[in-house]
Amino acid sequence: MEEDTDFRIRFSSLCFITDHVGFHGTIKSSPSDFVVIEIDEQGQLVNKASDEPIHKVNKILPGPNNLAKKTNLDPQNLSFEERSNQEVNTLAGCSGDDQNYEPGSEKEDTIEDGTSKGEEENIDVLGSLLDEKTNELLNRFACDVKEKWNSNTELIGPSSEFSLGRILDKNQRAILHSAIRQKFPFLITVGKNSEIVVKPNLEYKELCHLVSEEEAFDFFKYLDAKKENSKFTFKPDINKDHRKAVHHFINKKFGNLVETKSFPEPNYSADNPKVMITVRFREKAHKPRKRFLHGCQERRVIYTAFTLRKENLEMFEAVGFLAIKLGVIPSDFSYAGLKDKKAITYQAMVVRKVTPERLKNIEKEIEKKRMNVFNIRSVDDSLRLGQLKGNHFDIVIRNLKNQINDSANLRERILEAVENVKVKAVQLFLTPEELDDPVNRAKKYFLQTEDAKGTLSLMPEFKVRERALLESLHRFGVTEEGCIQAWFSFPHSMRIFYVHAYSSKIWNEAVSYRLATYGSRVVEGDLVCLDEDIDDEHLPSSKVHLVTEEEESANTYAIHQVVLPVLGYNIQYPKNKLGKWYQEVLSRDGLQTCRFKIPTLKLNVPGCYRKILKHPCNLSYQLIEEHDIDVTKEGSHIDEATLSLLISFDLDASCYATVCLREIMKHDF
């Protein structure tokens, strides 16, 4: 059968992975229906105040008693902490572990191996801050956890956590967090709006499968103390494979905080080939300082980090407005990723050449632009694209209905859909939507006329990047040289964004074509990842394998191992219909000979590989009845209930929530 070369043009919908029926609904009815909160590399939500202990807790949506009316469905009516604290019937996500509490600037008095001055000090602290009954219950909870672990009983249900109640003083909370975890390293503490909740430390239990409990106990005390220049050493070990497993566990769980190295024991010999694993805290990287042109004085570049909250605002519009108010240029801002426009979004940003005080001075001015800045602080360096763990989403889906010709119970359909996707994978990317607004109308005018000056008069003033490009084209002409000059009118971060956007669009179309052509089978010529623990963006070519005919017949690999290349000079293409598809698309776009190294444009794009399927994590949901009241006569009304779905989940960086919703609902937006 001849391949349909027009498939890419005709294919308008993403393929679905799961086989449930789904349902209809409306997203982004308003920006407050779509809340996006960035998750930094430490797993912390960036909308949390920096002077409070920061945690990534299970996302729990509002309870039905508080959300019976439409006016209360607006997430702005409740703070994130309030919504997280209300109890609802949630679904467990794909990774239910809470992130560990990490103290801020508090310093613990520790000795070389990271242990505290003594158990008595922790007992005194707990005794002074907790009443006798709470202290007794905490000790009983700790004993129960150890007993269940020793008897191999699974820890599930409400009994697997213990609340100390609300402690309003943040200094007392910080001391309690540290004291509990120093006394009970097999427990973790989590903050929930001034409340401290104690839970079993599942990573402690996992480490106990590799080393002795005594070593695990001391290691977690060392880790929590965070004493600079300290080290921790595991017992000498003769087994190389076992040492490799310990290295892998620590680097996977705590690699952003510590590093591990192996050293031979002092009396190491062929008869005694014992090696010790030593753990050290990573040194903070500092950017080299610049010097004045005259003299030897050092001048340190100023970097100010902050969290940006924006509502119904495009990313580059927000950056352009901030740049004007601060007297800098857009390229002085750095960020880890782009966020939706029609949404309320929270993201980490860094601006250089601006002091924290200067940024605080414009807080009132930018509120008129539906922006807020907080967590303002000095840092040592800028951010880079991709420097985040992922994003958390709180989404309201309104006007829920069954699919056409589906007579099943709507609530059952929704439960089936969310449960199905909770345990199966969804696709990563979604091609951005196009809007009919003045900006897009101006762009269409330029494509039709190539009239840079005329388009400039149509383009709104706040569109900084578009106007910069048009001004260059008007000055240098719509020629190759003019286009190069226009390209350099953008800051480097924006230029890279456009390359990434094109690459992501092609990758997204490739995934759709791959799934439509081969389905969930792994076929000859596919590319698969041989090491599932490596992050997609850092997957080396040596870990990418070309599937053989024999491996296809033996079903050696599963669909979740399949990767596709993101365009660049250092990647290989699949050796099946996908490889031909890539070449046809590049040829269509005039890039068949492009090596993605273009010195004249200062572009150097190595490319990477991404798995075609991903899991949403920490998924929970709540069905809400909304009541529309239509008053027809005095004293009478028609009360018709409709359903809305509040859904909450985390996705890895570069994953789109809209694609996850498509998979759940089986419905194109």
Side-chain angles (χ1 to χ4, degrees):
M1 180 176 178
E2 187 175 344
E3 183 179 359
D4 183 0
T5 56
D6 292 330
F7 175 88
R8 194 203 62 77
I9 298 172
R10 296 189 302 102
F11 198 85
S12 60
S13 249
L14 295 179
C15 293
F16 296 120
I17 306 302
T18 50
D19 55 7
H20 60 270
V21 175
F23 54 92
H24 283 268
T26 304
I27 65 169
K28 294 191 175 181
S29 298
S30 70
S32 59
D33 281 356
F34 205 91
V35 179
V36 186
I37 306 168
E38 205 167 78
I39 304 171
D40 67 19
E41 290 183 310
Q42 286 70 47
Q44 299 172 350
L45 298 171
V46 300
N47 70 325
K48 297 292 186 181
S50 61
D51 59 349
E52 291 279 332
I54 301 175
H55 325 278
K56 179 169 176 281
V57 299
N58 284 337
K59 319 304 180 308
I60 303 177
L61 294 161
N65 293 335
N66 295 321
L67 292 168
K69 299 178 181 178
K70 276 189 175 179
T71 53
N72 285 337
L73 271 170
D74 189 339
Q76 285 183 304
N77 293 335
L78 293 171
S79 69
F80 182 85
E81 292 83 2
E82 288 171 328
R83 287 184 286 124
S84 295
N85 289 335
Q86 298 193 36
E87 295 181 356
V88 295
N89 183 20
T90 62
L91 296 176
C94 298
S95 63
D97 295 353
D98 289 339
Q99 295 295 318
N100 294 349
Y101 164 76
E102 295 187 11
S105 61
E106 303 87 38
K107 294 184 180 293
E108 322 298 337
D109 290 321
T110 56
I111 57 177
E112 179 63 15
D113 67 356
T115 59
S116 64
K117 283 183 175 179
E119 288 291 316
E120 297 79 13
E121 184 174 328
N122 288 322
I123 294 171
D124 290 340
V125 170
L126 295 176
S128 63
L129 294 179
L130 299 176
D131 59 68
E132 185 176 347
K133 182 178 179 181
T134 303
N135 205 354
E136 180 183 346
L137 290 173
L138 172 62
N139 281 276
R140 189 183 303 170
F141 173 79
C143 291
D144 289 343
V145 169
K146 294 300 292 292
E147 287 176 5
K148 288 181 179 179
W149 275 351
N150 293 336
S151 62
N152 293 320
T153 303
E154 289 297 323
L155 290 162
I156 56 174
S159 62
S160 61
E161 67 178 42
F162 173 71
S163 174
L164 299 180
R166 296 189 67 186
I167 291 121
L168 299 180
D169 187 288
K170 67 179 182 182
N171 292 324
Q172 290 185 5
R173 290 200 303 273
I175 294 169
L176 269 173
H177 277 294
S178 179
I180 292 170
R181 295 168 65 123
Q182 284 292 310
K183 183 180 180 183
F184 308 114
F186 51 91
L187 301 178
I188 59 172
T189 54
V190 176
K192 291 184 178 180
N193 194 24
S194 301
E195 178 188 16
I196 294 181
V197 176
V198 185
K199 297 184 177 185
N201 186 344
L202 300 182
E203 291 171 342
Y204 178 98
K205 184 181 181 183
E206 191 175 346
L207 182 59
C208 285
H209 293 308
L210 294 173
V211 300
S212 68
E213 184 169 355
E214 178 187 358
E215 289 176 285
F217 189 95
D218 290 338
F219 171 76
F220 275 91
K221 291 183 72 170
Y222 159 80
L223 201 64
D224 188 65
K226 292 184 175 63
K227 184 180 180 182
E228 291 184 6
N229 301 319
S230 64
K231 64 181 180 180
F232 178 87
T233 303
F234 287 93
K235 293 179 180 178
D237 190 357
I238 195 174
N239 189 319
K240 183 178 180 180
D241 289 336
H242 179 259
R243 294 197 305 270
K244 185 178 179 180
V246 175
H247 278 292
H248 180 75
F249 172 85
I250 295 173
N251 288 316
K252 180 180 177 182
K253 299 291 186 181
F254 314 106
N256 63 322
L257 185 64
V258 298
E259 58 185 357
T260 60
K261 290 185 178 180
S262 291
F263 295 94
E265 199 179 21
N267 58 347
Y268 180 92
S269 66
D271 296 328
N272 181 37
K274 291 184 178 181
V275 175
M276 301 179 295
I277 296 176
T278 296
V279 184
R280 294 179 183 272
F281 285 100
R282 291 188 181 276
E283 293 183 3
K284 294 181 180 179
H286 294 281
K287 195 169 184 177
R289 295 180 172 182
K290 295 183 178 180
R291 294 181 180 272
F292 287 109
L293 293 175
H294 303 287
C296 297
Q297 279 186 291
E298 290 187 341
R299 181 180 63 187
R300 186 169 179 267
V301 178
I302 298 171
Y303 292 95
T304 296
F306 61 98
T307 295
L308 172 68
R309 179 195 184 275
K310 63 180 180 67
E311 178 180 343
N312 200 28
L313 203 60
E314 189 193 41
M315 176 71 178
F316 296 118
E317 181 182 351
V319 169
F321 187 78
L322 288 171
I324 291 171
K325 291 296 179 184
L326 292 169
V328 295
I329 58 177
S331 60
D332 286 322
F333 290 84
S334 57
Y335 35 84
L338 302 174
K339 299 290 174 281
D340 300 67
K341 176 187 176 182
K342 193 171 183 180
I344 294 176
T345 66
Y346 297 82
Q347 66 188 111
M349 299 194 78
V350 172
V351 59
R352 62 177 182 171
K353 299 184 291 189
V354 174
T355 64
E357 292 71 25
R358 175 77 183 98
L359 184 57
K360 289 176 183 177
N361 287 340
I362 69 164
E363 286 181 292
K364 295 295 182 183
E365 296 180 67
I366 65 174
E367 286 179 3
K368 302 172 186 176
K369 199 70 176 175
R370 304 180 304 280
M371 287 191 289
N372 302 96
V373 291
F374 55 99
N375 288 348
I376 300 170
R377 63 207 182 275
S378 295
V379 292
D380 294 322
D381 208 345
S382 56
L383 284 170
R384 66 180 187 277
L385 285 173
Q387 195 176 343
L388 74 164
K389 187 174 181 181
N391 293 285
H392 169 72
F393 298 87
D394 290 316
I395 298 171
V396 180
I397 307 172
R398 301 186 187 274
N399 306 316
L400 301 180
K401 299 176 182 177
N402 285 83
Q403 299 277 22
I404 298 173
N405 299 324
D406 179 23
S407 59
N409 180 276
L410 178 58
R411 291 176 180 269
E412 292 177 1
R413 281 288 186 238
I414 294 168
L415 177 63
E416 170 194 51
V418 180
E419 284 282 8
N420 206 17
V421 172
K422 185 183 69 172
V423 296
K424 295 187 179 179
V426 297
Q427 297 152 250
L428 287 176
F429 280 88
L430 176 71
T431 303
E433 61 184 346
E434 291 197 11
L435 302 173
D436 183 23
D437 56 22
V439 175
N440 282 295
R441 286 195 288 272
K443 291 178 181 178
K444 289 175 184 176
Y445 173 80
F446 179 77
L447 291 176
Q448 293 167 356
T449 65
E450 292 191 355
D451 176 10
K453 185 177 180 180
T455 308
L456 195 58
S457 66
L458 296 174
M459 188 63 66
E461 290 289 338
F462 63 81
K463 284 297 178 183
V464 179
R465 52 177 177 152
E466 286 85 353
R467 292 186 64 83
L469 183 146
L470 288 167
E471 286 169 356
S472 292
L473 291 176
H474 175 53
R475 179 180 177 185
F476 297 102
V478 187
T479 61
E480 181 177 346
E481 176 61 23
C483 290
I484 291 175
Q485 292 297 329
W487 177 250
F488 284 118
S489 71
F490 290 162
H492 180 264
S493 59
M494 289 188 187
R495 299 202 300 268
I496 291 297
F497 162 71
Y498 284 112
V499 176
H500 288 173
Y502 173 77
S503 299
S504 294
K505 180 178 182 292
I506 299 304
W507 188 93
N508 179 64
E509 293 174 351
V511 172
S512 295
Y513 181 78
R514 163 64 181 76
L515 294 171
T517 304
Y518 297 119
S520 59
R521 294 184 303 124
V522 180
V523 301
E524 180 184 2
D526 270 338
L527 298 174
V528 293
C529 172
L530 296 180
D531 190 340
E532 297 186 22
D533 292 330
I534 297 179
D535 177 50
D536 289 0
E537 300 296 324
H538 303 97
L539 183 63
S541 295
S542 61
K543 296 295 184 180
V544 175
H545 172 70
L546 198 66
V547 177
T548 65
E549 181 180 1
E550 294 76 14
E551 288 169 335
E552 176 187 352
S553 301
N555 294 320
T556 306
Y557 301 104
I559 187 66
H560 71 273
Q561 294 175 278
V562 174
V563 298
L564 283 179
V566 178
L567 300 176
Y569 63 79
N570 195 30
I571 52 98
Q572 63 172 316
Y573 294 102
K575 300 292 184 183
N576 50 29
K577 291 182 179 180
L578 261 295
K580 182 180 178 183
W581 181 92
Y582 268 102
Q583 296 308 316
E584 289 175 349
V585 171
L586 291 174
S587 179
R588 177 207 67 188
D589 293 341
L591 296 172
Q592 64 271 29
T593 60
C594 180
R595 287 286 300 153
F596 296 93
K597 278 186 177 181
I598 311 174
T600 56
L601 297 180
K602 297 183 180 179
L603 279 181
N604 186 12
V605 184
C608 61
Y609 301 90
R610 288 183 179 142
K611 294 179 183 177
I612 67 174
L613 303 178
K614 283 284 187 179
H615 287 283
C617 299
N618 296 329
L619 191 151
S620 61
Y621 79 102
Q622 175 75 10
L623 274 174
I624 303 299
E625 282 192 3
E626 302 179 74
H627 294 273
D628 293 328
I629 300 176
D630 179 22
V631 179
T632 55
K633 294 181 182 179
E634 186 177 350
S636 67
H637 67 271
I638 299 171
D639 190 346
E640 183 178 350
T642 60
L643 282 178
S644 288
L645 174 66
L646 287 81
I647 189 165
S648 173
F649 53 85
D650 296 349
L651 289 177
D652 288 350
S654 300
C655 298
Y656 282 90
T658 324
V659 180
C660 182
L661 296 180
R662 280 186 177 216
E663 187 65 35
I664 292 172
M665 299 168 67
K666 295 291 191 289
H667 168 52
D668 284 340
F669 301 107

